[in-house]
Each structure stands twice: as C-alpha cells, then as structure tokens.
Amino acid sequence: LVTLSVLLAAQLTACGSATSEPSAASGSQPSPSGTGRIADLGFTATTLDGDTFDGNTLAGKPAVLWFWAPWCPTCRAQIGNVSALAEQYAGEVAVVGVGGLDGTAAIKAVAADIPSVTHLIDPDAKVWRHFGVSAQSSYTVIAADGEILSEGYLDDEALNALVAQLAPA
C-alpha cells in the first residue's frame, strides 16, 4: 500500500493538475451518461462535528464528493462555488467535502469556513483511497441510481452544469 507520506508528497506537486476524465480537464462538460460504474458507498468517516458519517446514507440521491486539501490554492478558489451549489441544491443533491492530506486541525479550520457543505475530516486519506482519488481538487459525481457520472478535476462551469442535470425537475 502507498503510505500517506508518499501520497502527500505526490500531492504537493499536483494541486489540481490530475484528472481521470480528459473532457473535464479541457474544461468541456462531462458526459451525463456516466462511466457505467456504480459507486461503492460502503465507507464511514468523521464529520466536522465529530459524528460518524455513513456513506450508505447517500444511496438513492445524487451526490457530489469534493476531495480537497487545506493548503491547495485550487481547492480554496472553489470554496465559493461549492458552497453555492450546496445551498442551491440543498435537499436535492448531497454535497460532501472530503478534506484530507493534512492534519485534522488544519482541515477543520478551513472546513469551518465552508458553509452548506457536509464535511468529512479525512487526515489519513481513507475515503480518498476508497474512491481512488490521487489528486486534489477532485470530484466524484454520483447519480441517484449510484452510477459515477464523473471523476477527477472539474472547473466550476462543468461542475455546475452536471449538478443542474442531477437535480430533480
């Protein structure tokens, strides 16, 4: 297994530069048809408030998982848009921020200033590994039926368009 220190070292040089979806990297809109893979929601994590979050609570509704790090300038630039999406689609699309690649205190300090998002504190990158995330800022966008629609980096415009398609009419 890759150790956290190796993962962290790799991330320090790759803030927002990696993607597993070429169309997202170019800024064009990702395909709403999805990847054909179903998300494994069988994970648990600790919330900002210290409660246990069960990933299975996301089953049956659309969700956006945002993988970010406190020291990442790309992630910090996305805070306003991610918060606005969470507020706009509250009750329709779950928006979950997964803070990692740093200590608990640093993650909590930044997450406390990101409103409307459900925050998971992931200093050991367990949730990151569960979803195969290797770079921040990354999104895993999941349809209500569990299909992964997009993975990797998305610019604000592409993320907003995809989330608008997920919201119930």
Side-chain angles (χ1 to χ4, degrees):
L1 293 178
V2 176
T3 65
L4 183 58
S5 61
V6 171
L7 182 61
L8 179 58
Q11 299 313 311
L12 287 172
T13 61
C15 185
S17 65
T19 181
S20 60
E21 188 167 310
S23 64
S26 66
S28 63
Q29 291 185 13
S31 168
S33 61
T35 64
R37 291 181 290 114
I38 301 299
D40 177 4
L41 299 176
F43 69 92
T44 59
T46 302
T47 67
L48 185 60
D49 298 327
D51 297 327
T52 298
F53 180 88
D54 181 351
N56 288 311
T57 62
L58 299 173
K61 60 184 154 190
V64 174
L65 297 166
W66 172 42
F67 296 89
W68 62 273
W71 43 263
C72 170
T74 300
C75 304
R76 285 183 178 257
Q78 294 169 325
I79 289 172
N81 187 66
V82 171
S83 293
L85 280 176
E87 185 175 332
Q88 179 179 354
Y89 294 103
E92 297 176 347
V93 177
V95 178
V96 180
V98 186
L101 303 179
D102 208 333
T104 298
I107 296 167
K108 284 184 174 184
V110 174
D113 292 329
I114 306 173
S116 305
V117 174
T118 298
H119 291 285
L120 305 182
I121 310 303
D122 194 28
D124 298 324
K126 290 177 185 173
V127 179
W128 287 53
R129 285 191 305 271
H130 181 84
F131 283 93
V133 174
S134 62
Q136 75 296 328
S137 171
S138 288
Y139 296 98
T140 299
V141 181
I142 305 167
D145 65 2
E147 183 178 7
I148 297 172
L149 298 181
S150 182
E151 297 176 297
Y153 177 79
L154 293 171
D155 64 24
D156 290 349
E157 182 181 333
L159 177 63
N160 294 351
L162 190 53
V163 171
Q165 294 173 13
L166 290 174

